[in-house]
Amino acid sequence: MATQRRESVTVNSDLGEAFGLHTFGNDSALMGLIDIANVACGFHAGDPGVMEETVSFAKQQGVRVGAHPGLPDLVGFGRREMKLTPEEVENLIRYQVGALNGFLAKYGIPLNHIKPHGSLYGMLARDEGLMLSAVRVAQDYQVPVFGIPGSAHQRVAEREGVRFVGELYVDLDYNDDGGLIILRQPHATDPERAAEKAQRAIEDGTIVTVGGHELPIEFDSICIHSDTPNAADVAVAVRAVIA
């Protein structure tokens, strides 16, 4: 596998996941450390006030903004799967992207991409029919989709002529099939271990699964979750690797 070029790798984070008076995540600390913000659109987290504030902050920091649509499940934070038809998936993604795009228009910022959240992200990674629904929205907005390399995310996007941006996760583990192990509750991540994972993936193009298997990975962006308790420390460590 070809070695990743360090200068081409960006850092992204899922932001704007507060709700009303309840704060969530490390947005203020992360915004100055990332290149791209995936902003929650109100279904799994976020609300109009939070979206407006997050978009405004991103513009101040020169951070690109994409939509982070999730399942309509505030209580479960979008991390509980639902049985949905492709039409339902397209409608809920289109609705959320449209909501965020209204705030982007206010600040003169173009929509950068679409990246599904949580269980919706996992559902689309396994089901090409559902992923096609997300791709149709991306086609209408003429933006890329972010996702898991080698999954239905990539296969459907590339088949339909939509640019795919592969992600590397340094604060989550991978199973032996190359899928992400998503926990309901976030946990702290060792910054040194995260940096080592990033460096290995950049230099060797591989990741190591929880079963000890070495898998190839091609990616363009590294994701750091804002709800990781020490997310800013992880971002600083990863920045040191790719800078």
Side-chain angles (χ1 to χ4, degrees), residues 116-132:
H117 162 82
S119 286
L120 181 60
Y121 187 86
M123 291 161 59
L124 271 56
R126 300 188 301 269
D127 190 319
E128 294 193 3
L130 296 181
M131 184 58 196
L132 181 58

Side-chain angles (χ1 to χ4, degrees), residues 134-240:
V135 166
R136 285 177 174 149
V137 181
Q139 286 174 324
D140 289 345
Y141 282 93
Q142 298 183 4
V143 295
V145 292
F146 280 38
I148 301 174
S151 72
H153 292 162
Q154 182 172 12
R155 292 193 299 272
V156 177
E158 292 182 347
R159 186 182 71 210
E160 299 298 320
V162 169
R163 184 186 164 213
F164 172 76
V165 178
E167 295 186 280
L168 168 71
Y169 287 84
V170 294
D171 52 11
L172 292 176
D173 290 321
Y174 288 82
N175 61 35
D176 291 343
D177 294 324
L180 292 170
I181 300 175
I182 299 176
L183 304 175
R184 288 287 298 277
Q185 294 292 332
H187 59 82
T189 296
D190 181 354
E192 184 176 342
R193 181 171 178 266
E196 290 172 354
K197 184 184 291 188
Q199 185 161 358
R200 179 191 183 103
I202 290 171
E203 294 182 351
D204 300 334
T206 61
I207 55 172
V208 177
T209 71
V210 290
H213 299 287
E214 186 176 283
L215 297 178
I217 186 170
E218 293 184 0
F219 64 97
D220 307 288
S221 192
I222 298 174
C223 180
I224 298 170
H225 288 96
S226 65
D227 61 347
T228 298
N230 60 333
D233 294 335
V234 175
V236 169
V238 170
R239 272 286 175 208

